[in-house]
Amino acid sequence: MQFGIFTVGDVTADPTTGRTPTEHERIKDTVAIALKAEEVGLDVFATGEHHNPPFVPSSPTTLLGHIAARTENLILSTSTTLITTNDPVKIAEDYATLQHLAEGRVDLMMGRGNTGPVYPWFGQDIRQGIPLAIENYALLHKLWREDVVDWEGKFRTALQGFTSTPRPLDGVPPFVWHGSIRSPEIAEQAAYYGDGFFANHIFWPKQHTEKMVRLYRQRYAHYGHGTPEQAIVGLGGQIFMRKNSQDAVREFRPYFDNAPVYGHGPSLEEFSRETPLTVGSPQEVIERTLSFRDYVGDYQRQLFLVDHAGLPLKTVLEQLDILGEEVVPVLRKEFASLRPAGVPATAPLHPAVLTKEA
């Protein structure tokens, strides 16, 4: 099973000091976090894509290309690649280039983006979000698998005899996840192509995640890719840990209370009860994470959010130490012991990565 972290790249004031990092500091800190993830033995680092303040990751391939040059084993991914507002031709080119630079250690997660004003900045309409996601991905899928492409659709100019360059490394495109919080159409899209489905799993109750994953598994089997249990599922999650739960809650509370997304809303206790947010000891994080299997089944990737809401770099790196030393080794062992034969243990890896691991 793959374990890792994802970042949304927010630039948020630390509520305990009032200090807001500069964009430069936040970008450099993100690199430090990725390097730490490899150091402590995590498998995946994923970055979001945003084009509006207070976020900095507007160019994921630039960031991941830099991290690729400084790491050896880390799978480099996106936690959102905006399939709606990016040209699929440019996505095909950029991520194939990154795949070559990283020797195959690349996959990406398609997402629609939920920030309305961003769409017109790129000449699109958020009301067309689902049709854009469906059409643009159909073109991207084709560009990576056919050397010469003829294409005509609704949302971009037609292509005639077009070849996307560079071609994917050794002819194998990056593995694609389709990420969604609430849209069954995206689960259907992932199933249709036999791609992975990533349930964000940080804002909604477990019943919602269970429903979305079940739909994806059923439709994956319907399209003939395998059994429902063999479908490739990833989950997000949010954690904050200290040696004992009281210290974790006390330290994290001001960050939760003032977070841009859910601050000034439900209490920390209410949010933790109704969503997978886990603030407590390493053992509590282990037990809560293992419980995800009860309602989504055996899955292949778990990514944690650990660096948001103004948390200082020192604290984030401490979280990664705990995650790598005390949490992930136990989760690897427990999930492996529970996984039936015939169910994939990880998401598909590029042959170049498998050769290196062998």
Side-chain angles (χ1 to χ4, degrees):
M1 187 166 171
Q2 297 170 342
F3 293 93
I5 56 172
F6 71 100
T7 180
V8 295
D10 60 311
V11 179
T12 303
D14 184 331
T16 67
T17 65
R19 185 181 184 278
T20 303
T22 65
E23 291 180 326
H24 177 76
E25 289 171 329
R26 188 67 171 100
I27 292 168
K28 300 293 282 188
D29 287 354
T30 302
V31 173
I33 290 165
L35 299 182
K36 185 69 169 181
E38 174 156 287
E39 177 189 322
V40 302
L42 300 186
D43 303 303
V44 183
F45 171 81
T47 178
E49 179 186 345
H50 297 276
H51 298 275
N52 56 294
F55 304 100
V56 293
S58 59
S59 182
T61 51
T62 304
L63 175 65
L64 295 176
H66 178 74
I67 294 170
R70 301 185 62 183
T71 56
E72 295 183 0
N73 301 310
L74 203 61
I75 298 169
L76 305 173
S77 185
T78 54
S79 50
T80 306
T81 295
L82 295 175
I83 190 63
T84 47
T85 52
N86 282 310
D87 183 353
V89 172
K90 196 68 170 75
I91 294 176
E93 295 172 340
D94 286 350
Y95 285 92
T97 301
L98 177 61
Q99 188 193 40
H100 281 272
L101 292 171
E103 302 291 349
R105 294 183 290 123
V106 171
D107 59 35
L108 63 164
M109 187 189 306
M110 300 299 168
R112 289 185 294 129
N114 58 7
T115 307
V118 173
Y119 277 72
W121 298 344
F122 292 88
Q124 302 297 348
D125 182 344
I126 193 171
R127 293 170 294 184
Q128 297 296 316
I130 293 290
L132 275 164
I134 292 170
E135 181 178 301
N136 282 354
Y137 183 65
L139 175 54
L140 175 62
H141 190 270
K142 192 178 183 75
L143 288 166
W144 273 340
R145 288 163 177 83
E146 298 181 16
D147 289 341
V148 181
V149 170
D150 294 322
W151 171 265
E152 186 172 353
K154 177 181 177 181
F155 296 109
R156 77 170 323 278
T157 53
L159 298 173
Q160 294 183 341
F162 179 78
T163 299
S164 174
T165 59
R167 305 304 297 146
L169 177 64
D170 300 328
V172 181
F175 182 71
V176 168
W177 301 84
H178 298 260
S180 179
I181 297 176
R182 61 187 179 275
S183 302
E185 296 93 339
I186 302 304
E188 175 77 15
Q189 183 182 40
Y192 175 80
Y193 289 101
D195 295 336
F197 178 66
F198 191 89
N200 192 275
H201 200 225
I202 62 174
F203 295 124
W204 290 61
K206 65 182 182 181
Q207 293 85 355
H208 175 77
T209 299
E210 178 182 14
K211 180 179 178 181
M212 293 285 286
V213 172
R214 183 172 63 248
L215 170 64
Y216 161 67
R217 290 188 185 278
Q218 291 170 345
R219 300 302 289 172
Y220 180 94
H222 168 81
Y223 289 115
H225 300 298
T227 67
E229 294 77 19
Q230 291 172 326
I232 306 299
V233 174
L235 295 182
Q238 293 173 280
I239 57 174
F240 187 85
M241 298 172 289
R242 288 303 183 202
K243 184 176 181 179
N244 64 70
S245 58
Q246 294 88 347
D247 288 343
V249 170
R250 184 183 313 111
E251 184 175 347
F252 188 67
R253 189 181 299 281
Y255 295 95
F256 176 89
D257 288 346
N258 294 280
V261 175
Y262 44 57
H264 311 289
S267 69
L268 174 57
E269 288 75 15
E270 291 169 332
F271 201 84
S272 298
R273 185 169 58 249
E274 297 298 326
T275 79
L277 172 65
T278 308
V279 179
S281 67
Q283 184 59 36
E284 287 175 304
V285 169
I286 290 169
E287 293 174 0
R288 188 76 177 279
T289 305
L290 287 171
S291 76
F292 298 164
R293 182 180 177 274
D294 296 340
Y295 53 92
V296 301
D298 291 284
Y299 62 111
Q300 287 67 42
R301 176 175 287 186
Q302 175 67 58
L303 300 184
F304 296 106
L305 178 62
V306 297
D307 73 327
H308 64 127
L311 287 164
L313 178 62
K314 177 177 181 294
T315 301
V316 174
L317 299 182
E318 291 168 350
Q319 294 296 300
L320 290 173
D321 278 328
I322 300 170
L323 195 60
E325 295 170 8
E326 302 183 45
V327 174
V328 166
V330 177
L331 290 175
R332 286 193 201 281
K333 181 179 179 180
E334 293 295 326
F335 276 116
S337 69
L338 295 167
R339 189 181 305 276
V343 174
T346 71
L349 297 171
H350 192 280
V353 176
L354 292 172
T355 301
K356 181 180 178 181
E357 290 183 349

